[in-house]
Coordinates of all heavy atoms in Angstrom, one line a residue:
S17 N -10.0 -17.6 -4.9 CA -10.8 -16.8 -4.0 C -10.2 -15.4 -3.8 O -9.0 -15.2 -4.0 CB -10.8 -17.4 -2.6 OG -9.6 -17.5 -2.0
G18 N -11.1 -14.4 -3.5 CA -10.6 -13.0 -3.5 C -10.8 -12.5 -2.1 O -11.5 -13.0 -1.2
F19 N -10.2 -11.3 -1.9 CA -10.3 -10.6 -0.6 C -10.1 -9.1 -0.8 O -9.5 -8.7 -1.8 CB -9.4 -11.2 0.5 CG -7.9 -11.1 0.1 CD1 -7.1 -10.0 0.6 CD2 -7.3 -12.0 -0.7 CE1 -5.8 -9.9 0.3 CE2 -6.0 -11.9 -1.0 CZ -5.2 -10.9 -0.5
V20 N -10.4 -8.3 0.2 CA -10.2 -6.9 0.2 C -9.3 -6.6 1.5 O -9.5 -7.2 2.5 CB -11.5 -6.1 0.3 CG1 -11.3 -4.6 0.4 CG2 -12.3 -6.4 -1.0
M21 N -8.4 -5.7 1.3 CA -7.5 -5.3 2.4 C -7.4 -3.8 2.5 O -7.3 -3.1 1.5 CB -6.1 -5.9 2.3 CG -5.2 -5.7 3.5 SD -3.6 -6.6 3.3 CE -4.2 -8.2 3.7
D22 N -7.4 -3.2 3.7 CA -7.2 -1.8 3.9 C -5.8 -1.7 4.7 O -5.6 -2.5 5.6 CB -8.3 -1.2 4.8 CG -9.5 -1.0 4.0 OD1 -9.5 -0.5 2.9 OD2 -10.6 -1.4 4.5
V23 N -5.0 -0.7 4.3 CA -3.7 -0.6 4.8 C -3.5 0.9 5.3 O -3.9 1.8 4.6 CB -2.6 -0.9 3.8 CG1 -1.2 -0.7 4.4 CG2 -2.7 -2.3 3.2
K24 N -3.1 1.0 6.6 CA -2.8 2.3 7.2 C -1.4 2.7 6.9 O -0.5 2.0 7.2 CB -3.1 2.3 8.6 CG -3.0 3.7 9.3 CD -3.1 3.7 10.8 CE -4.4 3.1 11.3 NZ -4.6 3.2 12.7
V25 N -1.2 4.0 6.5 CA 0.1 4.5 6.3 C 0.3 5.7 7.3 O -0.6 6.6 7.3 CB 0.3 5.1 4.8 CG1 1.7 5.7 4.6 CG2 0.1 3.9 3.8
K26 N 1.4 5.7 8.0 CA 1.6 6.7 9.0 C 2.9 7.4 8.8 O 3.9 6.7 8.7 CB 1.4 6.2 10.5 CG 1.6 7.2 11.5 CD 1.4 6.7 12.9 CE 1.5 7.8 14.0 NZ 1.1 7.3 15.3
N27 N 3.0 8.7 8.9 CA 4.3 9.4 8.8 C 4.9 9.4 10.2 O 4.4 10.1 11.1 CB 4.1 10.8 8.3 CG 5.4 11.6 8.2 OD1 6.4 11.1 8.6 ND2 5.3 12.8 7.8
V28 N 5.9 8.6 10.4 CA 6.5 8.5 11.8 C 7.7 9.4 11.9 O 8.5 9.3 12.9 CB 6.9 7.0 12.1 CG1 5.7 6.1 12.1 CG2 7.9 6.5 11.0
T29 N 8.0 10.2 10.9 CA 9.1 11.2 11.0 C 8.6 12.5 11.6 O 7.5 12.7 11.8 CB 9.7 11.4 9.6 OG1 8.8 12.2 8.8 CG2 10.0 10.1 8.9
Q30 N 9.6 13.4 11.8 CA 9.3 14.7 12.3 C 9.1 15.7 11.1 O 9.0 16.9 11.4 CB 10.4 15.2 13.2 CG 10.6 14.3 14.4 CD 9.3 14.4 15.3 OE1 8.8 15.4 15.6 NE2 8.9 13.2 15.7
T31 N 9.1 15.2 9.9 CA 9.1 16.1 8.7 C 7.8 15.8 7.9 O 7.5 14.6 7.7 CB 10.3 15.9 7.8 OG1 11.5 16.1 8.6 CG2 10.4 16.8 6.7
A32 N 7.2 16.7 7.4 CA 6.0 16.5 6.5 C 6.5 15.9 5.2 O 7.6 16.1 4.7 CB 5.3 17.8 6.2
T33 N 5.6 15.1 4.6 CA 5.9 14.4 3.4 C 5.1 15.0 2.2 O 4.0 15.6 2.4 CB 5.6 12.9 3.4 OG1 4.2 12.8 3.5 CG2 6.3 12.2 4.5
G34 N 5.6 14.9 1.0 CA 4.9 15.3 -0.2 C 4.3 14.1 -0.8 O 3.2 14.2 -1.5
T35 N 5.0 13.0 -0.7 CA 4.5 11.7 -1.2 C 5.0 10.6 -0.3 O 5.9 10.9 0.5 CB 5.0 11.4 -2.6 OG1 6.4 11.3 -2.6 CG2 4.5 12.4 -3.6
W36 N 4.4 9.5 -0.4 CA 4.9 8.3 0.4 C 5.0 7.1 -0.6 O 4.3 7.1 -1.6 CB 4.1 8.0 1.6 CG 2.6 7.9 1.4 CD1 1.7 8.9 1.6 CD2 1.9 6.8 0.8 NE1 0.4 8.5 1.2 CE2 0.5 7.2 0.8 CE3 2.2 5.5 0.4 CZ2 -0.5 6.3 0.3 CZ3 1.2 4.6 0.0 CH2 -0.1 5.0 -0.1
R37 N 5.9 6.2 -0.3 CA 6.1 5.0 -1.1 C 6.7 3.9 -0.2 O 7.5 4.2 0.7 CB 7.1 5.3 -2.2 CG 7.5 4.1 -3.1 CD 8.6 4.5 -4.0 NE 8.0 5.2 -5.2 CZ 8.5 5.2 -6.4 NH1 9.5 4.4 -6.7 NH2 8.0 5.9 -7.3
F38 N 6.2 2.7 -0.4 CA 6.8 1.6 0.3 C 6.6 0.3 -0.5 O 5.8 0.2 -1.4 CB 6.3 1.5 1.7 CG 4.9 1.0 1.9 CD1 4.6 -0.3 2.1 CD2 3.8 2.0 1.8 CE1 3.3 -0.7 2.3 CE2 2.5 1.5 2.0 CZ 2.2 0.2 2.2
S39 N 7.3 -0.7 -0.1 CA 7.3 -2.0 -0.7 C 6.8 -3.1 0.3 O 7.2 -3.0 1.5 CB 8.7 -2.4 -1.3 OG 9.0 -1.4 -2.3
F40 N 6.1 -4.0 -0.2 CA 5.7 -5.1 0.6 C 5.5 -6.4 -0.2 O 5.4 -6.4 -1.4 CB 4.3 -4.8 1.3 CG 3.2 -4.5 0.3 CD1 2.3 -5.5 -0.1 CD2 3.0 -3.2 -0.1 CE1 1.3 -5.2 -1.0 CE2 1.9 -2.9 -1.0 CZ 1.1 -4.0 -1.4
E41 N 5.6 -7.5 0.5 CA 5.5 -8.8 -0.2 C 4.0 -9.3 0.1 O 3.5 -9.2 1.2 CB 6.5 -9.8 0.4 CG 6.5 -11.1 -0.3 CD 7.6 -12.0 0.1 OE1 8.3 -11.7 1.1 OE2 7.8 -13.1 -0.5
L42 N 3.4 -9.8 -1.0 CA 2.0 -10.3 -0.9 C 1.9 -11.5 -1.8 O 2.2 -11.4 -3.0 CB 1.0 -9.2 -1.2 CG -0.4 -9.7 -1.3 CD1 -0.9 -10.0 0.1 CD2 -1.3 -8.6 -1.9
D43 N 1.5 -12.7 -1.3 CA 1.3 -13.8 -2.2 C -0.1 -13.8 -2.7 O -0.9 -14.7 -2.4 CB 1.6 -15.1 -1.3 CG 1.6 -16.4 -2.2 OD1 1.8 -16.2 -3.4 OD2 1.4 -17.5 -1.6
A44 N -0.3 -12.8 -3.5 CA -1.6 -12.7 -4.2 C -1.5 -11.7 -5.3 O -0.5 -11.0 -5.4 CB -2.7 -12.2 -3.2
T45 N -2.5 -11.6 -6.2 CA -2.5 -10.6 -7.3 C -3.5 -9.5 -7.0 O -4.7 -9.8 -6.8 CB -2.9 -11.4 -8.6 OG1 -1.9 -12.4 -8.8 CG2 -2.9 -10.4 -9.8
I46 N -3.0 -8.3 -6.9 CA -3.9 -7.1 -6.7 C -4.6 -6.9 -8.1 O -3.9 -6.7 -9.1 CB -3.1 -5.9 -6.3 CG1 -2.5 -6.2 -4.9 CG2 -3.9 -4.7 -6.2 CD1 -1.6 -5.1 -4.3
V47 N -5.9 -6.8 -8.0 CA -6.7 -6.6 -9.2 C -7.3 -5.2 -9.2 O -7.8 -4.8 -10.3 CB -7.7 -7.7 -9.4 CG1 -7.1 -9.1 -9.7 CG2 -8.7 -7.8 -8.2
N48 N -7.4 -4.6 -8.1 CA -7.9 -3.2 -8.0 C -7.3 -2.5 -6.8 O -7.1 -3.2 -5.8 CB -9.5 -3.3 -7.8 CG -10.2 -2.0 -8.0 OD1 -9.6 -1.0 -8.5 ND2 -11.4 -1.9 -7.4
I49 N -7.0 -1.3 -6.9 CA -6.4 -0.5 -5.8 C -7.0 0.9 -5.8 O -7.3 1.4 -6.8 CB -4.8 -0.5 -6.0 CG1 -4.2 0.1 -4.7 CG2 -4.4 0.3 -7.2 CD1 -2.6 -0.1 -4.7
W50 N -7.1 1.4 -4.5 CA -7.7 2.8 -4.4 C -6.8 3.5 -3.4 O -6.3 3.0 -2.5 CB -9.1 2.8 -4.0 CG -9.5 1.9 -2.8 CD1 -9.5 2.3 -1.5 CD2 -9.8 0.5 -2.9 NE1 -9.9 1.2 -0.7 CE2 -10.0 0.1 -1.5 CE3 -9.9 -0.4 -3.9 CZ2 -10.4 -1.2 -1.2 CZ3 -10.3 -1.7 -3.5 CH2 -10.5 -2.1 -2.2
N51 N -6.7 4.8 -3.6 CA -6.0 5.8 -2.7 C -4.5 5.5 -2.8 O -3.7 5.9 -1.9 CB -6.5 5.8 -1.3 CG -7.9 6.3 -1.2 OD1 -8.3 7.1 -2.0 ND2 -8.6 5.8 -0.2
A52 N -4.0 4.8 -3.8 CA -2.6 4.5 -4.0 C -2.4 4.1 -5.5 O -3.4 3.8 -6.1 CB -2.0 3.5 -3.1
V53 N -1.1 4.0 -5.9 CA -0.8 3.6 -7.3 C 0.3 2.5 -7.2 O 1.2 2.7 -6.4 CB -0.3 4.8 -8.1 CG1 0.2 4.4 -9.5 CG2 -1.3 5.9 -8.1
I54 N 0.1 1.4 -7.9 CA 1.2 0.4 -8.0 C 2.3 0.9 -8.9 O 2.0 1.2 -10.1 CB 0.6 -0.9 -8.5 CG1 -0.4 -1.5 -7.5 CG2 1.8 -1.9 -8.7 CD1 -1.2 -2.7 -8.0
V55 N 3.5 1.1 -8.3 CA 4.6 1.5 -9.1 C 5.3 0.4 -9.8 O 5.7 0.5 -11.0 CB 5.6 2.3 -8.2 CG1 6.9 2.7 -9.0 CG2 5.0 3.5 -7.5
S56 N 5.4 -0.8 -9.1 CA 6.0 -1.9 -9.7 C 5.6 -3.2 -9.0 O 5.1 -3.1 -7.8 CB 7.5 -1.8 -9.7 OG 8.0 -1.9 -8.4
R57 N 5.7 -4.3 -9.7 CA 5.6 -5.6 -9.1 C 6.6 -6.5 -9.7 O 6.7 -6.7 -10.9 CB 4.2 -6.2 -9.4 CG 4.1 -7.6 -8.8 CD 2.8 -8.3 -9.2 NE 2.7 -9.6 -8.5 CZ 1.8 -10.5 -8.8 NH1 0.9 -10.3 -9.8 NH2 1.8 -11.6 -8.2
V58 N 7.5 -7.1 -8.8 CA 8.5 -8.0 -9.1 C 8.2 -9.3 -8.3 O 8.4 -9.3 -7.1 CB 9.9 -7.5 -8.9 CG1 10.9 -8.5 -9.3 CG2 10.1 -6.2 -9.7
G59 N 7.8 -10.3 -9.0 CA 7.4 -11.5 -8.2 C 6.2 -11.2 -7.3 O 5.2 -10.7 -7.8
N60 N 6.4 -11.5 -6.0 CA 5.4 -11.1 -5.0 C 5.6 -9.8 -4.3 O 4.9 -9.5 -3.3 CB 5.3 -12.3 -4.0 CG 4.6 -13.5 -4.6 OD1 3.9 -13.5 -5.6 ND2 4.9 -14.7 -3.9
V61 N 6.6 -9.0 -4.8 CA 6.9 -7.8 -4.1 C 6.3 -6.6 -4.9 O 6.6 -6.4 -6.1 CB 8.4 -7.6 -4.0 CG1 8.7 -6.2 -3.4 CG2 9.0 -8.7 -3.1
Y62 N 5.4 -5.9 -4.2 CA 4.7 -4.7 -4.8 C 5.4 -3.5 -4.2 O 5.7 -3.4 -3.0 CB 3.2 -4.7 -4.4 CG 2.4 -5.7 -5.1 CD1 2.2 -7.0 -4.6 CD2 1.7 -5.3 -6.3 CE1 1.4 -7.9 -5.3 CE2 0.9 -6.3 -6.9 CZ 0.8 -7.5 -6.4 OH 0.0 -8.4 -7.1
T63 N 5.5 -2.4 -5.0 CA 5.9 -1.1 -4.6 C 4.7 -0.2 -4.9 O 4.2 -0.2 -6.1 CB 7.2 -0.6 -5.2 OG1 8.2 -1.5 -4.9 CG2 7.5 0.8 -4.7
V64 N 4.2 0.5 -3.9 CA 3.1 1.4 -4.1 C 3.4 2.8 -3.6 O 4.3 2.9 -2.8 CB 1.8 0.9 -3.4 CG1 1.3 -0.4 -3.9 CG2 2.0 0.9 -1.9
E65 N 2.8 3.8 -4.2 CA 3.0 5.1 -3.7 C 1.7 5.9 -3.6 O 0.7 5.4 -4.1 CB 4.0 5.9 -4.6 CG 3.5 6.3 -5.9 CD 4.5 7.1 -6.8 OE1 5.7 7.1 -6.4 OE2 4.1 7.7 -7.8
S66 N 1.7 7.0 -3.0 CA 0.5 7.8 -2.7 C -0.2 8.2 -4.0 O 0.4 8.3 -5.1 CB 0.9 9.0 -1.9 OG 1.8 9.8 -2.6
A67 N -1.5 8.3 -3.9 CA -2.3 8.9 -5.0 C -2.0 10.4 -5.0 O -1.4 11.0 -4.1 CB -3.7 8.6 -4.8
A68 N -2.5 11.1 -6.0 CA -2.2 12.6 -6.1 C -2.8 13.3 -4.9 O -2.3 14.4 -4.6 CB -2.8 13.1 -7.4
W69 N -3.8 12.8 -4.3 CA -4.5 13.6 -3.2 C -4.2 13.2 -1.8 O -4.7 13.8 -0.9 CB -6.0 13.4 -3.4 CG -6.5 12.0 -3.4 CD1 -6.8 11.3 -2.3 CD2 -6.6 11.2 -4.6 NE1 -7.1 10.0 -2.7 CE2 -7.0 9.9 -4.1 CE3 -6.4 11.3 -5.9 CZ2 -7.2 8.8 -5.0 CZ3 -6.6 10.3 -6.8 CH2 -7.0 9.0 -6.3
N70 N -3.3 12.2 -1.6 CA -3.1 11.8 -0.2 C -1.6 11.6 0.2 O -1.3 10.9 1.1 CB -3.9 10.5 0.2 CG -3.4 9.3 -0.6 OD1 -2.6 9.4 -1.5 ND2 -3.9 8.1 -0.2
G71 N -0.7 12.2 -0.6 CA 0.7 12.1 -0.4 C 1.2 13.0 0.7 O 2.2 12.7 1.4
A72 N 0.6 14.2 0.9 CA 1.1 15.1 1.9 C 0.6 14.7 3.3 O -0.6 14.6 3.6 CB 0.5 16.5 1.6
L73 N 1.6 14.3 4.1 CA 1.3 13.9 5.5 C 2.1 14.7 6.5 O 3.4 14.6 6.4 CB 1.6 12.4 5.7 CG 0.7 11.4 4.9 CD1 1.2 10.0 5.1 CD2 -0.7 11.5 5.3
A74 N 1.5 15.3 7.4 CA 2.2 16.0 8.5 C 2.8 15.0 9.4 O 2.4 13.8 9.4 CB 1.3 16.9 9.2
P75 N 3.8 15.3 10.2 CA 4.3 14.4 11.2 C 3.2 13.8 12.0 O 2.3 14.5 12.5 CB 5.2 15.2 12.1 CG 5.7 16.3 11.2 CD 4.5 16.6 10.3
A76 N 3.2 12.4 12.2 CA 2.2 11.6 12.9 C 0.9 11.5 12.2 O 0.0 10.9 12.7 CB 2.0 12.2 14.3
A77 N 0.7 12.1 11.0 CA -0.6 12.0 10.3 C -0.7 10.6 9.6 O 0.3 10.0 9.4 CB -0.7 13.1 9.2
E78 N -1.9 10.2 9.3 CA -2.2 8.9 8.7 C -3.1 9.1 7.6 O -3.8 10.0 7.4 CB -2.8 8.0 9.8 CG -2.0 7.7 11.0 CD -2.8 6.9 12.0 OE1 -4.0 6.8 11.9 OE2 -2.2 6.4 12.9
T79 N -3.0 8.1 6.7 CA -3.9 7.9 5.6 C -4.1 6.4 5.3 O -3.4 5.6 6.0 CB -3.5 8.6 4.3 OG1 -4.5 8.7 3.4 CG2 -2.2 8.0 3.7
T80 N -5.0 6.0 4.5 CA -5.2 4.6 4.2 C -5.3 4.4 2.7 O -5.6 5.4 1.9 CB -6.5 4.1 4.8 OG1 -7.6 4.8 4.4 CG2 -6.4 4.1 6.4
F81 N -5.0 3.2 2.3 CA -5.3 2.8 0.9 C -5.8 1.4 1.0 O -5.7 0.7 2.1 CB -4.1 2.9 0.0 CG -3.0 1.9 0.2 CD1 -3.0 0.7 -0.6 CD2 -2.0 2.1 1.1 CE1 -2.0 -0.3 -0.4 CE2 -1.0 1.1 1.3 CZ -1.0 -0.1 0.5
G82 N -6.4 0.9 0.0 CA -6.9 -0.4 0.0 C -6.8 -1.1 -1.4 O -6.5 -0.4 -2.4
F83 N -7.0 -2.4 -1.4 CA -7.0 -3.1 -2.6 C -7.8 -4.4 -2.5 O -8.1 -4.9 -1.5 CB -5.5 -3.5 -3.0 CG -4.8 -4.3 -2.0 CD1 -4.9 -5.7 -2.0 CD2 -3.9 -3.7 -1.1 CE1 -4.2 -6.4 -1.1 CE2 -3.2 -4.4 -0.2 CZ -3.3 -5.8 -0.2
Q84 N -8.2 -4.8 -3.7 CA -8.9 -6.1 -3.9 C -7.9 -7.0 -4.6 O -7.2 -6.6 -5.5 CB -10.1 -5.9 -4.8 CG -10.8 -7.2 -5.1 CD -12.0 -6.9 -6.2 OE1 -12.1 -5.8 -6.7 NE2 -12.7 -7.9 -6.4
A85 N -7.8 -8.3 -4.1 CA -6.8 -9.2 -4.6 C -7.4 -10.6 -4.7 O -8.4 -10.9 -4.1 CB -5.6 -9.2 -3.7
T86 N -6.7 -11.4 -5.5 CA -7.0 -12.8 -5.6 C -5.8 -13.6 -5.3 O -4.7 -13.2 -5.5 CB -7.5 -13.2 -7.1 OG1 -6.4 -12.9 -8.0 CG2 -8.7 -12.4 -7.5
G87 N -6.0 -14.8 -4.7 CA -4.9 -15.6 -4.3 C -5.1 -16.0 -2.8 O -6.0 -15.7 -2.1
T88 N -4.0 -16.7 -2.3 CA -4.1 -17.3 -1.0 C -3.5 -16.4 0.1 O -3.8 -16.5 1.3 CB -3.3 -18.6 -0.9 OG1 -2.0 -18.4 -1.3 CG2 -4.0 -19.6 -1.8
G89 N -2.6 -15.5 -0.3 CA -1.9 -14.6 0.7 C -2.8 -13.5 1.2 O -3.4 -12.8 0.5
R90 N -2.9 -13.5 2.5 CA -3.8 -12.5 3.2 C -3.0 -11.6 4.1 O -3.6 -10.8 4.9 CB -5.0 -13.1 3.9 CG -5.8 -14.0 3.0 CD -7.3 -13.6 3.2 NE -8.3 -14.4 2.5 CZ -8.4 -14.9 1.3 NH1 -7.3 -14.8 0.5 NH2 -9.4 -15.5 0.9
T91 N -1.7 -11.7 4.1 CA -0.8 -10.9 5.0 C 0.2 -10.3 4.2 O 0.8 -10.9 3.3 CB -0.1 -11.9 6.0 OG1 -1.1 -12.6 6.7 CG2 0.7 -11.1 7.0
I92 N 0.4 -9.0 4.4 CA 1.5 -8.3 3.7 C 2.7 -8.2 4.7 O 2.6 -8.1 5.9 CB 1.2 -6.9 3.3 CG1 0.8 -5.9 4.4 CG2 0.0 -6.9 2.3 CD1 0.6 -4.5 4.0
R93 N 3.9 -8.3 4.1 CA 5.2 -8.3 4.9 C 6.0 -7.1 4.3 O 6.3 -7.2 3.1 CB 5.9 -9.6 4.8 CG 7.2 -9.6 5.6 CD 7.8 -11.0 5.6 NE 8.4 -11.3 4.3 CZ 9.6 -10.9 3.8 NH1 10.4 -10.2 4.6 NH2 10.0 -11.2 2.6
M94 N 6.3 -6.2 5.1 CA 7.2 -5.1 4.6 C 8.5 -5.6 4.2 O 9.1 -6.4 4.8 CB 7.3 -4.0 5.7 CG 6.0 -3.4 6.2 SD 5.1 -2.6 4.9 CE 6.1 -1.2 4.6
V95 N 9.1 -5.0 3.1 CA 10.4 -5.4 2.6 C 11.2 -4.2 2.5 O 10.8 -3.0 2.4 CB 10.4 -6.2 1.3 CG1 9.8 -7.6 1.6 CG2 9.7 -5.5 0.2

């Protein structure tokens, strides 16, 4: 079975960013992603980073990315 997930990314620092990157665990396979790029996948741990157009975030600014996945996991856990 498949599902779609939207994820909010927020700059919680006092400094503007040029790009953002983070890792999360997901018990599913991402088959399509938008507004981000998958940098790596090791087992169930994905590392994603900003797309070319949404990496610059002022302090407290937010952006979103989303993906379509298959599998049973519907919750991401930051690692």
Side-chain angles (χ1 to χ4, degrees):
S17 66
F19 62 97
V20 174
M21 184 174 287
D22 289 314
V23 181
K24 183 187 300 184
V25 177
K26 182 175 183 176
N27 181 359
V28 297
T29 71
Q30 298 298 314
T31 306
T33 66
T35 61
W36 49 264
R37 176 186 284 212
F38 72 96
S39 298
F40 59 92
E41 187 173 9
L42 175 69
D43 188 19
T45 300
I46 295 176
V47 295
N48 189 19
I49 190 167
W50 51 92
N51 296 332
V53 177
I54 298 172
V55 176
S56 69
R57 178 184 182 193
V58 179
N60 288 339
V61 177
Y62 287 88
T63 299
V64 299
E65 72 179 14
S66 56
W69 57 87
N70 67 351
L73 294 177
E78 300 175 345
T79 191
T80 60
F81 75 92
F83 58 84
Q84 176 185 7
T86 60
T88 58
R90 299 231 187 320
T91 304
I92 63 172
R93 183 178 69 84
M94 302 298 293
V95 294

